[in-house]
Amino acid sequence: MKKDSTGLGITIPKRMRIAGMTFYLRNGQVVGRESSTHEKRSNTLPQFIQRQKLRHATALWKTLKFCDVMFTERRTACQNFSSLASQLPVVFVPDNGIMNQASFLMPGIPMSDGILPMVKQELGEVDGTPALLTDLKESDRTHHAKLRLYTAVQAIESKVLPRVRFSMREVSWWDMTIVEDHLALIGEEFADEMKGWALVKVIEDRCSSQTIVTRCTLYQQYITEDALERAADSYGGLTETPFLSAR
């Protein structure tokens, strides 16, 4: 039922809800009160997984966005990153306050998205020294192209909170060593199991699409069935029986 508000010629519903408030007409006057509902929020397994994916992507982006990143293939960098990050393994963390801010270093975290060819890279060794090996060749060296090395560090903050911190530095072509016709960055830092790296090639406003390579395994204890069950229980349980194979 609809009714004209007095003297204004505006037709409004008899009752409507906006932003947690319910508005209704009483004796010709619009009255508002706070809405409340005791209906339990649906929490099926697919819904729970999607919420956990979104939580983790948001936690990663909160620190990554300050790192001069290049995500150029969607309307916003945040949308671009979130779409790519949705393909990462799902980490399940309990709803206990501080852990809602947790983020985890893992292979495949997107660090850039662009139209230049991807630089293939992996962690290895050169004459016994840790290295970041790439498929770049000496012929790729050009003053038009720049290299950005993004570094991710898995830290444990406040003694209990896992969080990834990111940084970026430009790398000179001449910082790289030729190894079997390909270029590599060599240094002890590439042995650190709590760090990850992505080397991005940049030409003006274009970049290569790169993801993190890392030896870090901390995240693995948060992707198990037990982790799923503990996290789901902290949110009041699932509407359906949890089976990881349903993902």
Side-chain angles (χ1 to χ4, degrees):
M1 177 178 179
K2 294 184 178 180
K3 185 174 181 179
D4 288 342
S5 59
T6 303
L8 297 178
I10 301 174
T11 301
I12 64 173
K14 185 176 181 180
R15 182 186 296 263
M16 61 182 176
R17 292 185 62 190
I18 301 176
M21 297 289 293
T22 298
F23 297 90
Y24 57 96
L25 284 173
R26 176 185 292 171
N27 299 325
Q29 300 293 320
V30 178
V31 179
R33 63 177 175 81
E34 185 176 358
S35 299
S36 63
T37 178
H38 299 289
E39 182 179 351
K40 184 178 180 181
R41 186 186 190 191
S42 176
N43 197 30
T44 65
L45 177 58
Q47 289 171 333
F48 184 63
I49 288 173
Q50 191 59 36
R51 289 166 187 158
Q52 290 286 294
K53 284 184 176 183
L54 179 59
R55 186 214 63 79
H56 191 222
T58 300
L60 288 170
W61 181 249
K62 282 183 177 179
T63 55
L64 179 59
K65 66 181 179 180
F66 299 110
C67 203
D68 197 16
V69 288
M70 298 182 70
F71 290 92
T72 64
E73 301 307 295
R74 284 182 178 259
R75 188 169 65 88
T76 69
C78 181
Q79 289 177 346
N80 201 166
F81 172 81
S82 296
S83 176
L84 296 171
S86 69
Q87 304 304 311
L88 292 171
V90 187
V91 287
F92 299 103
V93 298
D95 182 27
N96 65 356
I98 192 169
M99 282 297 288
N100 286 328
Q101 306 172 48
S103 55
F104 297 90
L105 177 55
M106 60 180 64
I109 294 176
M111 298 302 292
S112 63
D113 192 25
I115 63 174
L116 296 183
M118 181 184 68
V119 179
K120 293 181 181 179
Q121 48 202 277
E122 62 180 345
L123 294 170
E125 290 187 351
V126 176
D127 296 330
T129 302
L132 179 65
L133 308 173
T134 79
D135 67 346
L136 293 170
K137 297 184 177 181
E138 189 171 12
S139 59
D140 291 314
R141 285 173 167 162
T142 168
H143 69 277
H144 296 297
K146 295 182 179 180
L147 298 175
R148 293 182 176 185
L149 181 65
Y150 291 88
T151 301
V153 179
Q154 179 74 79
I156 304 298
E157 301 179 1
S158 302
K159 297 183 180 181
V160 295
L161 174 63
R163 180 174 280 176
V164 184
R165 298 292 185 179
F166 300 93
S167 62
M168 185 276 290
R169 72 177 190 266
E170 288 197 0
V171 173
S172 168
W173 287 98
W174 307 107
D175 292 333
M176 306 192 75
T177 302
I178 300 175
V179 180
E180 296 181 355
D181 297 326
H182 292 93
L183 300 178
L185 286 170
I186 301 175
E188 292 297 335
E189 68 172 307
F190 298 113
D192 195 327
E193 295 183 353
M194 296 296 276
K195 290 184 178 181
W197 300 268
L199 188 67
V200 178
K201 185 177 180 180
V202 178
I203 301 178
E204 297 178 345
D205 61 347
R206 295 167 291 160
C207 68
S208 59
S209 298
Q210 305 296 155
T211 61
I212 285 287
V213 293
T214 181
R215 296 185 176 93
C216 188
T217 60
L218 176 66
Y219 75 95
Q220 292 179 0
Q221 61 187 279
Y222 292 91
I223 64 174
T224 65
E225 179 121 15
D226 285 343
L228 164 61
E229 292 177 355
R230 286 194 300 269
D233 286 346
S234 74
Y235 282 88
L238 295 176
T239 306
E240 299 174 350
T241 302
F243 292 105
L244 286 177
S245 59
R247 275 186 281 172

